[in-house]
Amino acid sequence: QVQLVESGGGLVQAGGSLRLSCAASGLTFSSYAMGWFRQAPGKEREFVALINWSGGSTDYANSVKGRFTISRDNAVNTVYLQMNSLKPEDTAVYYCAAGSMQKDLSAFGAWGQGTQVTVSS
């Protein structure tokens, strides 16, 4: 019943920007921390960004700190990931997840289907 649907992925040049959205349904959205994770070809899924229930606390992977911004709008059950200064190494499938305020994948019980982000050099 819980559904997370990502959108906004695509192909961009290095240095460009992209904004991902994740629309949630079937859960009390404001009760959950939300996270963004990504999986690049040949690599395991990794943590990107976290935001707590209210949006007052965030956390980022060192690789994206200063370039990416996570935010949420509980009124419309949506979490966002603003990605600026994109690099080719940001190329991955990006996943939205609902869970607790932890970086570990096991803390998230609901996942979206993923959206492809490709950054060309």
Side-chain angles (χ1 to χ4, degrees):
Q1 195 169 20
V2 176
Q3 188 173 25
L4 304 176
V5 181
E6 301 97 333
S7 62
L11 174 64
V12 297
Q13 293 185 359
S17 297
L18 211 56
R19 192 192 197 198
L20 306 183
S21 297
C22 173
S25 62
L27 77 166
T28 305
F29 184 73
S30 61
S31 295
Y32 292 87
M34 299 294 294
W36 286 98
F37 298 80
R38 67 187 183 187
Q39 189 164 20
K43 295 185 177 181
E44 294 186 349
R45 194 169 300 185
E46 66 176 3
F47 162 74
V48 175
L50 278 169
I51 189 164
N52 78 331
W53 61 271
S54 68
S57 181
T58 59
D59 199 6
Y60 299 91
N62 288 335
S63 59
V64 307
K65 198 169 297 182
R67 300 187 298 120
F68 290 11
T69 302
I70 188 171
S71 61
R72 68 191 296 163
D73 188 345
N74 288 347
V76 294
N77 294 349
T78 302
V79 62
Y80 307 93
L81 185 68
Q82 178 66 47
M83 305 185 295
N84 299 325
S85 302
L86 283 162
K87 304 175 181 180
E89 51 262 46
D90 295 319
T91 295
V93 176
Y94 283 71
Y95 297 89
C96 174
S100 60
M101 196 65 177
Q102 302 287 334
K103 298 179 181 179
D104 194 86
L105 275 66
S106 64
F108 295 83
W111 294 82
Q113 83 289 345
T115 185
Q116 177 70 49
V117 172
T118 302
V119 184
S120 64
S121 60

